[in-house]
Amino acid sequence: MGRNAMDGNDTCWDKVIAEMIEMGFEHSSIVEAIKVVGPSVPSAVEHILNSTTEEPSTTHTSNSHARNGNALKKRPLRKCLVRQSNIFDHFRSNDDVEEHKKEIPQLGIKPNPIVLSEPFEAQDLDVESDWEQKTSNLMKKHFGFSSLKSFQKEAISAWVVHKDCLVLAATGSGKSLCFQIPALFSGKVVVVISPLISLMHDQCLKLTRHGISACFLGSGQPDNTVEQKAMRGLYSIVYICPETVLRLIQPLQKLAESRGIALFAIDEVHCVSKWGHDFRPDYRRLSVLRENFSTSKLKSLKFDIPLMALTATATKRVREDILKSLQMSKETKVCLTSFFRPNLRFMVKHSRVSQASYAKDFHELIRVYGRKKNIDEKEKVFISDDSDQISNSSDASSISDTDSVSPDDMDDNQDDYAYRDINIMHSGNSDDFLTGKELSIEFLENDIDAFQSMDNLDVARGDFCVLPHKELELSKNTNIPKKPEGRVKILNEPLEQGPTIIYVPTRKETLRIAKYLCKFGLKAAAYNAGLPKLHLRKVHKEFHENGLEVIVATIAFGMGIDKSNVRRIIHYGWPQSLEAYYQEAGRAGRDGKLSDCILYANLASKPSLLPSRKSEDQKKQAYIMLSDCFRYGMNTSCCRAKILVEYFGEDFGHQKCHLCDVCIDGPPKKQNLKEEACIFLQTIGAQNQGRRDSKDYSYDDDIHFDYNYRGQRERPNLRMLVGKIRQQFQKFSTTDMLWWRGLARILEVKGYIREGDDKSHVQAKFPEFVRSMNEEAFWVYPEADMLLARKLTEKPFSSFSEWGKGWADPEIRRQRLERMGVKRKSGMVSSSKRKPKRKVQHDLRTSRGRLTAKLSKYK
Ligand SMILES: Nc1ncnc2c1ncn2[C@@H]1O[C@H](COP(=O)(O)OP(=O)(O)OP(=O)(O)O)[C@@H](O)[C@H]1O
Ligand SMILES: [Mg+2]
């Protein structure tokens, strides 16, 4: 088949040629292949590769084929494809470009020249302007952006001179471009290590829309030919999960020696570190990349294949750990930009985060999406779950006042923690999905087979439709004014339209809340790793195509998800760390427009660690991270954005974001808590009276106190301490535990108390205002739990915590017992109030029932 025969189809030829040049094939071999197999990328690629393997030692020029008019003769792959070339290859290409231009004038693009060349000495060349220009052209062509951001420039310039690079930049800042450009630029393959299948899928989808061939490998890749193709160099960017990298070292080495590997990018690299929030042991083993892709290991390499590590959430300690564990070079370039996201409005709200509070908490969301009308129950069925019972009477418009502390608050629903790996499958019929008629777990499971043929995640170029460029030109410059007055003004404007992601700690809750919202007609979907792949894939697709208004997800839908117009990120329950929180919050407002990040948490109850497979050491670290997160929630006086960016080691100075709830509402009124602090510290001191003179309060004194409770040594216990205070000081007899918890935290932050290293005692330092008993005041901002406690004590005698208070006080105890009808002296229940003893029926079908029945015999 000659080109003449295809005259009417020139554009088709050109497209195929352009695509294949970008994949790294030589122009002449492409033309020859197309002559034989026609203008189809896969066939032409197959043809070239097969020819290579069949007759490896023979080389032919394209001209000779053309001259002879024969079928394409076979040539070795290595001559067709780029080898581990040096960067200079890409600068000295004017002649080649001109040649290509002549041959394919109507393409209007500069194909990547692919040549084998001499070693490149960066310092000998004035390459700066050249690579910037080329990068800029490629970026405009593929992504439609006008310029590189400075951190992107820095990272790419490090790669240009084969340096390792650690990129630390805010969520949504554009880190991916740092490793995508090298693939376009060099014609070699960029291997990206990524932790989540959902993330890989997301990125491949995007790249193909931008005209870049990409695929992903790992457990979520059902097409087993993709791996082979990738290892033969058919994709410019290959996403791999860390487990798979470890398995594919040898094929990757071959790839490095054939088409060439431009770069190993380790995305979400905080997963490497035990001190990070999302440690993955397999990430730690990625030092194999340096060991196996260095000049000492692969003789054909002219330099070690550079590593580029990227994250938006790494503290200083994590950064150091990353550099060490990946064996990154001593000259690694660190590109550090601000973690601040100026268009995100952070808020913390108290909620019991239970089903009883849905009506109050989601009322606004339901209003935003404008659907209050209850829809027919049949249509409402979303994803059913046995344990899930949504009260029919719940109505989002009726705000219940259930926001008080109750024993339920202590019950963390941890039964169903979403473990982290997820797989995505192709979406089916989105109409079915949204009407919810099939959305029971059973349906999805039964239906997986029906969609099997579509479950091909090979997203090689052309599999997805290309978006018009206009749509890709998302303004990354935030439209949020920089000056405080301007920022405050925009707060009165409603948020622009866009979806919401609700993050919850357990899988069960994803289903529960999604179902609740669907009930009010919202287009909501649950997303957690335990759901069928088919469903997950549907959700992903619908989300990106704006078919969903709300996604209720576990962390499985976190890292890297890049959708520009997510307007709200709601965390419903405590996150496990500030890193995870900021990472997930970072899904919002990637178009630079004002977006909300609201944390609903039970401020009355301390968060607990969700079950996971952590070592003891990791657990300790996890507790520290959890308590940082708790403090963020308790804070009432410091700008939330400041706390977040400073957590990552950035100095925010005296700045404020002027958007968060603290900046807008202002801190609460300061209180002089000198008396309370003195009493608290002295009560700690009094515990040690037997061993030491408690009046000897030297400033650096360590005061140990160990409780003996029923003969058993217990850890210091705030409840007991507060009990003592209530007992001894009439004035404080009705104060709430929560309030004292807040004060203890403030004293701890100020360095006046701390837990001893062995965790069995509390050490106290006595500040001047305690020791001298002078007039010096102790002004503090009450924290969230203290304010909450105050609110509670104003309430009538009904709440749980109120009931628990004051029992230590004999007078209060007497009054209460009297109210209960208990006689003061005898302690007997008065006959008038005595209820007839009911015969309890035990359910002998359950083990609990049988046990209580047995025990009741001994009463
Ligand atoms: N130079 C640029 N100019 C304009 N937009 C850009 C530029 N670089 C990247 N972007 C856009 O920024 C958005 C976010 O990019 P990306 O997903 O790479 O962010 P990220 O830094 O990896 O965030 P995360 O940490 O959340 O994964 C993308 O939609 C991308 O197209
Ligand atoms: Mg990213």
Side-chain angles (χ1 to χ4, degrees):
M1 196 187 321
R3 185 161 187 175
N4 291 343
M6 299 289 297
D7 273 347
N9 258 334
D10 267 356
T11 345
C12 189
W13 268 67
D14 294 333
K15 269 190 187 160
V16 172
I17 292 171
E19 281 177 23
M20 290 185 61
I21 281 174
E22 271 172 14
M23 289 164 94
F25 292 94
E26 275 183 355
H27 178 259
S28 51
S29 13
I30 302 167
V31 174
E32 286 167 10
I34 295 178
K35 280 180 191 162
V36 179
V37 296
S40 141
V41 173
S43 318
V45 167
E46 279 304 316
H47 185 88
I48 295 175
L49 294 173
N50 290 337
S51 323
T52 314
T53 44
E54 281 167 39
E55 199 180 311
S57 59
T58 324
T59 51
H60 294 273
T61 63
S62 53
N63 287 343
S64 73
H65 294 300
R67 259 198 319 271
N68 297 339
N70 294 335
L72 178 73
K73 298 231 175 98
K74 286 108 187 179
R75 45 187 301 153
L77 176 64
R78 286 190 184 188
K79 295 284 177 180
C80 292
L81 303 177
V82 73
R83 285 178 57 109
Q84 173 70 22
S85 61
N86 64 56
I87 208 70
F88 188 33
D89 299 347
H90 314 297
F91 303 127
R92 57 170 214 180
S93 54
N94 289 348
D95 295 346
D96 301 306
V97 173
E98 288 310 313
E99 201 181 308
H100 288 310
K101 268 189 188 162
K102 270 182 240 152
E103 286 189 46
I104 44 171
Q106 54 284 66
L107 272 181
I109 58 157
K110 285 184 187 175
N112 279 348
I114 297 151
V115 273
L116 301 172
S117 58
E118 294 308 307
F120 161 64
E121 299 296 335
Q123 60 273 25
D124 296 344
L125 300 162
D126 177 23
V127 293
E128 281 282 308
S129 53
D130 202 2
W131 80 256
E132 280 193 46
Q133 187 52 48
K134 279 177 183 286
T135 301
S136 170
N137 292 346
L138 283 167
M139 191 180 58
K140 275 182 203 146
K141 189 189 112 191
H142 285 278
F143 300 98
F145 305 142
S146 53
S147 60
L148 282 177
K149 296 181 181 179
S150 57
F151 84 87
Q152 293 172 331
K153 218 179 264 183
E154 267 188 70
I156 298 170
S157 69
W159 169 77
V160 162
V161 292
H162 323 304
K163 267 193 182 179
D164 290 347
C165 180
L166 173 59
V167 183
L168 303 144
T171 47
S173 56
K175 291 183 287 298
S176 320
L177 205 73
C178 303
F179 55 77
Q180 288 162 352
I181 290 285
L184 296 174
F185 199 83
S186 65
K188 299 189 213 169
V189 178
V190 166
V191 177
V192 186
I193 290 95
S194 179
L196 289 178
I197 304 283
S198 62
L199 175 52
M200 298 192 217
H201 180 246
D202 215 51
Q203 297 225 347
C204 288
L205 206 77
K206 275 225 157 85
L207 284 169
T208 47
R209 283 178 185 158
H210 289 286
I212 301 164
S213 61
C215 70
F216 74 81
L217 309 177
S219 58
Q221 177 56 269
D223 180 349
N224 50 21
T225 66
V226 174
E227 184 174 304
Q228 265 185 341
K229 286 193 228 162
M231 292 305 111
R232 281 151 66 192
L234 260 69
Y235 303 96
S236 295
I237 301 189
V238 179
Y239 284 84
I240 312 190
C241 54
E243 308 80 80
T244 312
V245 174
L246 299 169
R247 180 170 62 79
L248 290 180
I249 292 294
Q250 277 188 1
L252 282 167
Q253 284 178 328
K254 279 192 190 139
L255 181 66
E257 292 186 310
S258 54
R259 180 166 169 181
I261 294 179
L263 173 72
F264 284 108
I266 301 125
D267 203 10
E268 309 294 353
V269 72
H270 54 268
C271 296
V272 163
S273 175
K274 280 186 186 162
W275 316 117
H277 61 102
D278 209 357
F279 172 59
R280 315 278 172 104
D282 280 330
Y283 252 77
R284 209 161 182 84
R285 293 168 61 202
L286 287 176
S287 56
V288 291
L289 295 175
R290 181 46 29 94
E291 287 153 15
N292 289 285
F293 298 88
S294 59
T295 47
S296 57
K297 197 81 179 194
L298 295 180
K299 296 297 170 213
S300 62
L301 296 187
K302 303 283 189 307
F303 45 83
D304 296 350
I305 298 182
L307 304 178
M308 186 184 279
L310 311 99
T311 176
T313 46
T315 56
K316 273 188 183 162
R317 190 179 190 184
V318 171
R319 288 173 220 167
E320 281 156 20
D321 200 19
I322 291 168
L323 293 170
K324 211 167 121 201
S325 354
L326 293 181
Q327 294 182 23
M328 293 177 81
S329 97
K330 291 214 166 58
E331 277 90 54
T332 296
K333 175 148 191 152
V334 180
C335 307
L336 179 64
T337 67
S338 175
F339 291 103
F340 180 43
R341 294 281 313 273
N343 59 321
L344 299 189
R345 175 163 60 175
F346 291 95
M347 282 171 255
V348 177
K349 295 186 181 199
H350 171 63
S351 162
R352 279 175 56 188
V353 290
S354 64
Q355 287 187 63
S357 35
Y358 290 175
K360 180 181 179 192
D361 298 340
F362 300 128
H363 167 68
E364 178 59 16
L365 202 64
I366 292 166
R367 191 195 60 75
V368 165
Y369 291 110
R371 248 150 290 148
K372 277 187 188 164
K373 200 165 60 75
N374 263 5
I375 51 172
D376 178 16
E377 197 63 38
K378 268 188 190 156
E379 284 176 79
K380 277 183 250 167
V381 178
F382 187 69
I383 293 176
S384 62
D385 174 31
D386 287 348
S387 61
D388 185 7
Q389 287 181 3
I390 292 171
S391 145
N392 283 336
S393 61
S394 60
D395 176 357
S397 57
S398 67
I399 295 181
S400 68
D401 190 19
T402 48
D403 251 5
S404 55
V405 190
S406 88
D408 296 352
D409 295 336
M410 310 300 168
D411 278 338
D412 272 324
N413 187 357
Q414 301 173 355
D415 53 346
D416 200 6
Y417 179 50
Y419 288 98
R420 289 151 200 256
D421 53 321
I422 61 162
N423 296 323
I424 307 294
M425 293 176 83
H426 250 308
S427 160
N429 181 345
S430 61
D431 289 344
D432 288 349
F433 173 56
L434 292 176
T435 52
K437 76 174 170 17
E438 86 289 34
L439 290 173
S440 69
I441 287 176
E442 292 75 11
F443 174 86
L444 291 171
E445 281 173 348
N446 294 340
D447 228 45
I448 284 175
D449 286 344
F451 287 90
Q452 208 96 84
S453 58
M454 295 170 72
D455 188 29
N456 179 352
L457 297 184
D458 176 357
V459 282
R461 182 179 176 173
D463 285 0
F464 293 83
C465 60
V466 175
L467 284 179
H469 252 222
K470 223 171 130 208
E471 236 180 293
L472 303 172
E473 282 177 12
L474 305 168
S475 162
K476 288 292 117 183
N477 294 328
T478 168
N479 62 347
I480 307 295
K482 299 254 167 352
K483 294 214 168 119
E485 315 81 60
R487 291 171 75 78
V488 173
K489 221 160 93 192
I490 59 154
L491 291 175
N492 298 325
E493 292 158 23
L495 291 185
E496 288 207 11
Q497 282 192 346
T500 294
I501 305 176
I502 302 177
Y503 285 105
V504 292
T506 66
R507 291 178 180 176
K508 211 174 254 176
E509 271 176 280
T510 61
L511 301 168
R512 223 179 254 156
I513 295 176
K515 185 172 175 183
Y516 179 83
L517 296 174
C518 285
K519 216 174 133 179
F520 289 93
L522 267 69
K523 293 174 187 169
Y527 192 103
N528 72 58
L531 288 173
K533 293 172 184 175
L534 170 68
H535 169 80
L536 300 182
R537 196 156 178 170
K538 272 181 172 182
V539 173
H540 238 273
K541 188 165 178 280
E542 291 293 330
F543 173 68
H544 279 288
E545 291 171 358
N546 295 317
L548 282 172
E549 289 163 333
V550 183
I551 291 198
V552 192
T554 59
I555 48 160
F557 197 72
M559 281 184 276
I561 298 291
D562 182 37
K563 177 160 172 59
S564 67
N565 65 340
V566 176
R567 286 280 81 85
R568 265 169 234 84
I569 297 291
I570 294 176
H571 279 81
Y572 207 62
W574 289 108
Q576 293 280 287
S577 67
L578 281 184
E579 282 106 316
Y581 178 66
Y582 205 46
Q583 169 74 248
E584 285 150 10
R587 304 308 110 212
R590 289 160 85 93
D591 52 6
K593 293 177 183 163
L594 183 68
S595 307
D596 280 348
C597 301
I598 311 170
L599 165 60
Y600 285 92
N602 187 345
L603 302 180
S605 101
K606 273 192 163 183
S608 44
L609 276 188
L610 293 167
S612 65
R613 298 170 221 123
K614 286 192 169 86
S615 68
E616 275 313 303
D617 260 9
Q618 287 170 314
K619 264 190 201 144
K620 268 187 209 155
Q621 176 60 19
Y623 270 116
I624 294 172
M625 293 197 286
L626 193 65
S627 89
D628 287 333
C629 197
F630 180 61
R631 274 165 206 234
Y632 168 84
M634 291 299 125
N635 157 67
T636 52
S637 55
C638 181
C639 164
R640 295 208 188 274
K642 180 178 164 76
I643 297 184
L644 289 165
V645 300
E646 291 194 342
Y647 182 76
F648 295 107
E650 180 175 337
D651 182 13
F652 206 57
H654 296 294
Q655 288 186 61
K656 286 172 157 195
C657 73
H658 296 286
L659 291 181
C660 73
D661 52 357
V662 177
C663 287
I664 295 304
D665 304 337
K669 229 173 124 194
K670 269 192 169 179
Q671 292 175 359
N672 179 9
L673 300 183
K674 178 179 171 171
E675 189 185 358
E676 291 83 350
C678 284
I679 287 173
F680 191 84
L681 291 168
Q682 283 167 3
T683 312
I684 293 177
Q687 302 303 310
N688 212 33
Q689 225 164 8
R691 274 192 280 157
R692 216 184 278 207
D693 178 9
S694 61
K695 287 197 183 103
D696 181 20
Y697 297 141
S698 78
Y699 189 76
D700 288 324
D701 201 4
D702 266 6
I703 293 176
H704 298 241
F705 69 100
D706 305 316
Y707 284 105
N708 273 301
Y709 181 65
R710 287 187 196 158
Q712 278 180 352
R713 194 160 168 259
E714 283 210 336
R715 286 181 55 177
N717 181 324
L718 184 69
R719 194 171 287 278
M720 287 172 144
L721 191 70
V722 173
K724 283 219 153 50
I725 294 174
R726 283 180 189 153
Q727 211 170 16
Q728 286 165 12
F729 301 90
Q730 174 69 26
K731 185 175 173 186
F732 297 118
S733 59
T734 57
T735 47
D736 199 289
M737 251 300 287
L738 264 187
W739 190 90
W740 290 103
R741 188 185 77 182
L743 179 68
R745 201 175 45 251
I746 291 173
L747 293 173
E748 192 188 355
V749 169
K750 292 199 182 286
Y752 300 146
I753 56 170
R754 68 176 181 138
E755 202 170 35
D757 294 336
D758 59 358
K759 308 260 179 220
S760 68
H761 68 281
V762 169
Q763 298 173 323
K765 280 180 178 182
F766 293 99
E768 189 58 34
F769 70 81
V770 178
R771 284 188 289 161
S772 62
M773 288 297 180
N774 61 15
E775 288 306 299
E776 199 187 331
F778 182 58
W779 289 102
V780 294
Y781 289 113
E783 298 217 321
D785 43 1
M786 298 164 89
L787 296 174
L788 190 66
R790 211 173 51 187
K791 216 168 117 191
L792 285 172
T793 42
E794 281 162 11
K795 282 191 176 175
F797 188 67
S798 61
S799 77
F800 165 76
S801 53
E802 181 78 19
W803 183 239
K805 271 183 319 222
W807 281 97
D809 183 281
E811 184 51 28
I812 294 178
R813 195 164 54 233
R814 185 189 60 76
Q815 288 170 10
R816 287 187 187 169
L817 289 174
E818 263 183 20
R819 246 184 290 166
M820 285 169 74
V822 179
K823 277 188 186 157
R824 198 175 165 195
K825 286 216 170 110
S826 66
M828 296 286 290
V829 177
S830 70
S831 55
S832 58
K833 301 265 171 167
R834 187 183 290 160
K835 284 187 185 157
K837 215 174 173 184
R838 255 192 309 135
K839 196 160 188 307
V840 184
Q841 289 293 326
H842 301 291
D843 184 353
L844 298 176
R845 287 167 305 176
T846 66
S847 51
R848 177 187 276 248
R850 283 193 296 276
L851 185 68
T852 21
K854 218 179 219 176
L855 289 173
S856 64
K857 284 186 199 159
Y858 301 101
K859 278 185 184 165

